[in-house]
Amino acid sequence: MTEKERQELLQDLLAKQQAGELKASDRYNIPLQDMPEQDPEIRRTNVNEVATGYTETNARIEALRCLRCKTAPCVNGCPVKIRIKDFIESIAEGKYSDALSIIKENSLLPAVCGRVCPQENQCQLTCTVGKKFKDPTQAVSIGRLERFVADMFLNSESTPQVAAETGKKVAIIGSGPGGIVAAADTRRAGHDVTMFEAFHKPGGVMVYGIPEFRLPKAIVQKEIDTLTKMGVKINYNFIVGKTRTIQQLMNEDGFDAVYIGVGAGLPNFMGIEGESLVGVFSANEYLTRANLMKAYSFGSGSDTPIIQSKKVAVVGGGNVAMDAARTALRLGAEKVYLIYRRTEKEMPARIEEVHHAKQEGVEFHILQSPKRVLGDENSRVTGIECLKYELGEPDDSGRRRPVAIKDSEFVIELDTVIIAIGNKPNPLISQTMPELEMTRWGTIVVDENTMATSVPGVFAGGDIVSGAATVILAMGQGRIAAASINEYLANK
């Protein structure tokens, strides 16, 4: 459909709506608006954003697909309960400022969430339109619409109002999505808020883990700039549990409450032969070098070196694996293999990310898993020996368990291996604060209604509580924790 045809369709739909003649059957017949994006052959050579965003015509047509259901099942799928049908209706009417205001009642990072949240497993999964077609990919594109309206006001200079100073001090440990929300909400209440960040730049996983081509760092920086304009202070290169402990922050530095939002950034490894060879990376290290430290510049303004690989194997099937594989292509790899021990159907990665990885040339090796990494006399990677698998009975996750096929070993020649099989919490805080109740998985135990920990005045949220999850879930927990901190300090 050409732009002229889209504009004509939009005018026809708006006329019907104004006349009260736009029925549900008409909305079902409105074509899903695809997201404009860079050509795969071009984008694999740059780090610019893949999806270029809806035009105004795209957005309003897509918004008119929404049925305005009275029960709004989409809201039940939203971790922060945005009034979805209301903001979409505002977009359909061209009231973009109203749409953004509705979103920001519950979400402080719409430009981020519109890009990286798995809407297909959340709000769009319960969309009535998608259910009508028995296809979740045909649901109203809630995430794309959220991104559209957020991007329209990215350069807005508005700063949230801050209440009168309370004299109470709040420490926010970690500057990821949960920390940003907790800092904003406690600062708005008038508290003196300081954020402590282990890296030299803020943003947490949004900066070091998610590539530029999925989430431009300038968008995250704008949110950080808003915090500093509100008066939030940020201490960089500050490792809580090492630079200072939580007990020192509270007992010696005068902080009345603490929010722990340090994520789960300690990578898992497979425990196979050859994982210590030169050329084996955790996905965390690889992506941090590429994203946070601009390794893709290869010395031109880059803070860190990285191996310029020719043949790369990425082990895993989640979003991090897709990010690592697609990053390797952009760093000049001639071949990138994605090795996953189940089938594509069981992959936890977003459908969109799998689709983009295939478009860009990542070769999928499913029902395979590494047995050992091979190296030369200089301890450098030369290949990976894999086993073939078949699916057996379901395991605890509900997915069918992969079972190795005897004597099915084969070798792939390569020079780099990236392990992307998940993360776990860093034990530094728990080791230095034994009174903090932890689970056997290393996550912090909290009251889910308040996000309060076992230590009075200490709250937590995000991946350090739930394990590796989503940006918007971390934001939701950050908001609950902030409300609890504000109440705790009001009563202290």
Side-chain angles (χ1 to χ4, degrees), residues 86-87 90-91 93-105 148-150 152-153 156 158:
D86 295 334
F87 97 74
S90 293
I91 292 176
E93 295 173 354
K95 299 176 181 177
Y96 307 123
S97 179
D98 291 351
L100 185 62
S101 295
I102 291 168
I103 295 170
K104 286 205 167 185
E105 291 171 357
F148 164 77
V149 75
M152 183 169 281
F153 295 94
S156 170
S158 63

Side-chain angles (χ1 to χ4, degrees), residues 38-55:
Q38 286 193 71
D39 178 88
E41 288 301 315
I42 296 173
R43 72 186 190 229
R44 61 175 284 169
T45 64
N46 64 57
V47 294
N48 299 329
E49 195 168 8
V50 168
T52 55
Y54 272 166
T55 64

Side-chain angles (χ1 to χ4, degrees), residues 342 390-396 398-403:
R342 290 184 168 95
E390 58 187 2
L391 294 183
E393 296 300 314
D395 61 14
D396 293 339
R399 296 179 297 175
R400 293 175 65 189
R401 187 186 304 276
V403 179

Side-chain angles (χ1 to χ4, degrees), residues 231-250:
V232 174
K233 298 179 283 291
I234 307 177
N235 283 359
Y236 299 112
N237 302 306
F238 194 109
I239 303 174
V240 174
K242 192 172 182 70
T243 309
R244 300 283 279 171
T245 65
I246 290 176
Q247 296 93 320
Q248 287 175 316
L249 290 175
M250 299 185 79

Side-chain angles (χ1 to χ4, degrees), residues 14 71 128 145 161 321 344 358 381 473:
L14 291 174
T71 56
T128 305
L145 292 172
Q161 289 188 332
E344 187 176 320
K358 285 185 172 182
V381 172
L473 182 61

Side-chain angles (χ1 to χ4, degrees), residues 235-441:
N235 283 359
Y236 299 112
N237 302 306
F238 194 109
I239 303 174
V240 174
K242 192 172 182 70
T243 309
R244 300 283 279 171
T245 65
I246 290 176
Q247 296 93 320
Q248 287 175 316
L249 290 175
M250 299 185 79
N251 299 332
E252 299 175 21
D253 301 337
F255 285 95
D256 300 284
V258 174
Y259 173 79
I260 304 173
V262 294
L266 194 64
N268 292 324
F269 284 92
M270 301 186 71
I272 60 175
E273 180 185 340
E275 275 188 308
S276 61
L277 292 170
V278 177
V280 178
F281 293 86
S282 71
N284 272 28
E285 178 188 356
Y286 191 81
L287 290 171
T288 298
R289 285 176 180 270
N291 299 333
L292 183 63
M293 307 176 85
K294 298 182 180 179
Y296 55 78
S297 299
F298 293 125
S300 176
S302 172
D303 294 327
T304 183
I306 200 166
I307 293 174
Q308 288 187 261
S309 310
K310 291 185 177 180
K311 293 183 179 181
V312 179
V314 178
V315 182
N319 288 326
V320 174
M322 300 302 154
D323 286 343
R326 297 172 68 197
T327 296
L329 285 173
R330 286 161 173 79
L331 291 177
E334 297 169 3
K335 288 280 187 181
V336 177
Y337 310 105
L338 188 115
I339 301 174
Y340 182 59
R341 61 181 186 158
R342 290 184 168 95
T343 70
E344 187 176 320
K345 182 180 178 182
E346 284 80 32
M347 281 185 176
R350 296 184 67 186
I351 294 172
E352 181 179 69
E353 301 310 316
V354 173
H355 173 66
H356 282 159
K358 285 185 172 182
Q359 278 186 325
E360 292 165 8
V362 175
E363 296 183 21
F364 281 52
H365 286 228
I366 60 173
L367 289 171
Q368 298 174 10
S369 187
K371 182 178 179 181
R372 60 179 176 144
V373 182
L374 308 175
D376 62 16
E377 64 278 6
N378 296 315
S379 297
R380 293 186 176 275
V381 172
T382 59
I384 192 166
E385 183 179 6
C386 296
L387 274 169
K388 294 181 180 179
Y389 281 70
E390 58 187 2
L391 294 183
E393 296 300 314
D395 61 14
D396 293 339
S397 71
R399 296 179 297 175
R400 293 175 65 189
R401 187 186 304 276
V403 179
I405 299 173
K406 188 178 180 181
D407 299 327
S408 62
E409 290 90 343
F410 66 98
V411 172
I412 304 174
E413 292 184 1
L414 40 83
D415 54 26
T416 303
V417 176
I418 303 171
I419 308 296
I421 57 171
N423 301 303
K424 56 191 173 186
N426 190 308
L428 186 58
I429 286 180
S430 61
Q431 288 173 351
T432 57
M433 197 175 195
E435 63 269 39
L436 193 64
E437 186 180 354
M438 311 292 292
T439 70
R440 62 190 179 93
W441 299 283

